[in-house]
Amino acid sequence: MMVESASETIRSAPSGQNGVGSLSGQTDGGGGGATGTATSGTGRDVATGADSNGEMSPAELLHFQQQQALQVARQFLLQQASGLSSPGNNDSKQSASAVQVPVSVAMMSPQMLTPQQMQQILSPPQLQALLQQQQALMLQQLQEYYKKQQEQLHLQLLTQQQAGKPQPKETLGNKQLAFQQQLLQMQQLQQQHLLNLQRQGLVSLQPSQASGPLQTLPQAAVCPTDLPQLWKGEGAPGQPAEDSVKQEGLDLTGTAATATSFAAPPKVSPPLSHHTLPNGQPTVLTSRRDSSSHEETPSSHPLYGHGECKWPGCETLCEDLGQFIKHLNTEHALDDRSTAQCRVQMQVVQQLEIQLAKESERLQAMMAHLHMRPSEPKPFSQPVTVSAADSFPDGLVHPPTSAAAPVTPLRPPGLGSASLHSGGPARRRSSDKFCSPISSELAQNHEFYKNADVRPPFTYASLIRQAILETPDRQLTLNEIYNWFTRMFAYFRRNTATWKNAVRHNLSLHKCFVRVENVKGAVWTVDEREYQKRRPPKMTGSPTLVKNMISGLSYGALNASYQAALAESSFPLLNSPGMLNPGSASSLLPLSHDDGGAPMEPLPSNGSSSPPRLSPPQYR
DNA sequence: GCGTCGCTAAACATCA
DNA sequence: CTGATGTTTAGCGACG
């Protein structure tokens, strides 16, 4: 409670606004950049400004801890640096794998320094907050390091490729492989960290169920799609991360916090970051206000929805938030189990990140192939952010997708902003009309929508159309459309009566949907002309629209629009390189696990969005 | 204030 | 009879 009010207080402070953003913004330039630096600044404030309390303030502890952590981190970095600088081919692999261990060690060690002390002094939430902050600092450093290392690796690779010609092919190949592996490892780590950052505000993304033991999950084997399953399995909590748990002592914080800010739940608010109260007391607060307005209402918590605890694998029913908080504090406190679960969650996220990276790469190649000059546009962080702001007022749409890009403080997709908590249907018209081709959105955020219970910002009509167009023969039965909805969107796995009714309603209502008697019954097709009629493209005139379009269009969007332009010659601006946003798209196509079909058609979409809520996927 | 758009809800019909 | 599918109407909120 105390913390609650505290965070409340802070939340109302203007600077607290983009807390999460700030966290994730560390690596980010652009608008979030300021906040990013602010974060570390805040952290320092916490550390230094806290002594106002006289006692051995938590802030002091934190400060101490931070110092320790940084030292460890530096050591680690040094180690890595030295290990990498001598590109012993044989070693490279080793050092690559070594990367993972030290990281965790680096993060944990500091905590072990005064675990008991800290535990005595601080409440779990406070501890977590502190640790998170510490983590943020470290992440920052590590990220810098990773960047350097990556550059180094690239250089080495290049050097080897050139100078290595005379060498026996095999050796060279091995070297390259090793380097690549190392690179990959680095990327993974980086992604993981990014993710952590994102997580600070990303609560809604939680891959629903969790509680698993798969600490040792074979990474490559984990398909994002399966992730939810990972969690499910059982609750054999203790086991998974046991070993590491042991070695880490107080660890939860280490990993959990490291893995996800998400570990912080035991208290009150969602994405948490640590700040200092005026009196110097570190406290938890919702880090991103914009995105989490809903969580501020007493009726919501990122880990609470539909009357049940959303902690992975939990689903305990709680009548109200208060009860939930209690539950959270008792059942999901700082312990081995929670730690393990956080680990798993971390892995889940990591896998998604990896997948995303791959898809992004593919996308870039595709774009390059299509002469769309993917790489030159701004750093993708930009576009995404911009589009989020410009074209999606409710921020609904920008999931963690662009994570591949090393530096994107993504808005928590679901929590991005206001829309999430809003009760009724929130619809946008102008914005999404012009800025959010559904196919691109979908492509970009495919995984996100699939796993997060967030309402897609598209109209039913556009979704239906998308579903139909994704199929080879451009036709679907009603049931197939239903299936597409549930498959593609976690959101449509509940309230089926409602949205199915809406789907039928739309099919009947809009002329663009044509019912065709088929061998296997009736199928629905799209009359593209009719569909286009509905939404005459009028973006040529208004500079504002154009601007919106530009900022709102992401890579995939562009592509969609590009296609539209080809078809209708109505989007003269589409080839503008400025609109490209390579990084933000994970892929243009729906990921393979779906029909493998590609959204062949550009889909301008009409917006609609509404209250997103996470809920366990339950088909039908 | 008005018209449009999109969503939700619901009544009703048809058919397997 | 039941459930799925389709059609239609109505009310509401958001937006221009």
Side-chain angles (χ1 to χ4, degrees), chain A residues 225-246:
Chain A
T225 327
D226 304 331
L227 295 176
Q229 266 69 30
L230 296 181
W231 281 116
K232 286 186 176 163
E234 57 353 355
Q239 301 209 332
E242 210 126 274
D243 20 5
S244 39
V245 168
K246 280 178 196 162

Side-chain angles (χ1 to χ4, degrees), chain A residues 403-461:
Chain A
V407 206
T408 308
L410 288 178
R411 306 223 142 158
L415 295 180
S417 41
S419 69
L420 280 199
H421 65 301
S422 66
R427 269 150 254 147
R428 286 151 288 181
R429 281 209 279 171
S430 58
S431 57
D432 38 37
K433 234 178 194 175
F434 301 105
C435 305
S436 171
I438 188 174
S439 59
S440 72
E441 259 310 309
L442 273 184
Q444 287 179 49
N445 308 319
H446 175 265
E447 280 303 318
F448 170 69
Y449 290 125
K450 201 167 177 179
N451 297 311
D453 189 12
V454 171
R455 185 189 187 113
F458 312 108
T459 60
Y460 281 110

Side-chain angles (χ1 to χ4, degrees), chain A residues 333-519:
Chain A
L334 185 62
D335 59 12
D336 289 356
R337 181 162 164 261
S338 302
T339 304
Q341 290 175 329
C342 279
R343 283 178 197 283
V344 178
Q345 181 70 8
M346 179 171 65
Q347 298 234 356
V348 166
V349 173
Q350 195 177 349
Q351 284 309 310
L352 286 172
E353 295 288 339
I354 293 168
Q355 170 94 21
L356 172 66
K358 287 177 185 169
E359 296 299 334
S360 288
E361 208 174 321
R362 185 189 303 179
L363 170 64
Q364 294 204 25
M366 290 167 68
M367 294 302 288
H369 173 68
L370 296 174
H371 308 294
M372 295 181 76
R373 288 177 276 169
S375 49
E376 72 175 79
K378 326 172 173 184
F380 16 122
S381 54
Q382 283 299 46
V384 174
T385 307
V386 170
S387 66
D390 287 0
S391 38
F392 301 105
D394 30 9
L396 240 195
V397 205
H398 297 276
T401 11
S402 56
V407 206
T408 308
L410 288 178
R411 306 223 142 158
L415 295 180
S417 41
S419 69
L420 280 199
H421 65 301
S422 66
R427 269 150 254 147
R428 286 151 288 181
R429 281 209 279 171
S430 58
S431 57
D432 38 37
K433 234 178 194 175
F434 301 105
C435 305
S436 171
I438 188 174
S439 59
S440 72
E441 259 310 309
L442 273 184
Q444 287 179 49
N445 308 319
H446 175 265
E447 280 303 318
F448 170 69
Y449 290 125
K450 201 167 177 179
N451 297 311
D453 189 12
V454 171
R455 185 189 187 113
F458 312 108
T459 60
Y460 281 110
S462 56
L463 285 172
I464 293 168
R465 174 174 172 271
Q466 177 68 14
I468 293 172
L469 294 182
E470 274 188 20
T471 63
D473 39 1
R474 307 289 169 91
Q475 56 179 34
L476 282 177
T477 63
L478 180 63
N479 201 44
E480 287 169 336
I481 294 174
Y482 289 162
N483 291 336
W484 185 86
F485 272 68
T486 51
R487 192 173 66 243
M488 300 293 284
F489 305 94
Y491 179 83
F492 292 121
R493 287 166 200 165
R494 57 188 180 84
N495 296 332
T496 56
T498 301
W499 67 260
K500 284 182 177 177
N501 183 25
V503 167
R504 290 194 304 272
H505 167 76
N506 275 267
L507 284 171
S508 293
L509 191 67
H510 299 304
K511 291 177 187 171
C512 59
F513 298 119
V514 182
R515 186 174 175 275
V516 177
E517 287 294 338
N518 201 1
V519 188

Side-chain angles (χ1 to χ4, degrees), chain A residues 554-571:
Chain A
S554 55
Y555 204 30
L558 203 203
N559 179 55
S561 304
Y562 178 61
Q563 291 184 32
L566 289 181
E568 304 179 11
S569 308
S570 49
F571 295 1

Side-chain angles (χ1 to χ4, degrees), chain A residues 270-347:
Chain A
L272 305 168
S273 72
H274 345 313
H275 287 255
T276 312
L277 283 179
N279 65 4
Q281 279 268 7
T283 169
V284 231
L285 91 158
T286 51
S287 33
R288 65 182 13 246
R289 150 138 24 133
D290 51 344
S291 67
S292 59
S293 42
H294 76 292
E295 45 218 48
E296 298 184 26
T297 63
S299 60
S300 63
H301 183 291
L303 288 173
Y304 179 63
H306 299 314
E308 60 180 39
C309 174
K310 298 292 186 183
W311 184 274
C314 181
E315 297 182 14
T316 299
L317 295 177
C318 302
E319 283 190 291
D320 55 56
L321 191 64
Q323 193 180 338
F324 163 73
I325 299 292
K326 272 184 194 170
H327 161 78
L328 204 51
N329 286 327
T330 56
E331 299 301 315
H332 308 298
L334 185 62
D335 59 12
D336 289 356
R337 181 162 164 261
S338 302
T339 304
Q341 290 175 329
C342 279
R343 283 178 197 283
V344 178
Q345 181 70 8
M346 179 171 65
Q347 298 234 356

Side-chain angles (χ1 to χ4, degrees), chain A residues 84-97:
Chain A
L84 291 173
S85 57
S86 60
N89 326 325
N90 300 336
D91 289 336
S92 49
K93 213 173 187 176
Q94 223 177 352
S95 41
S97 58

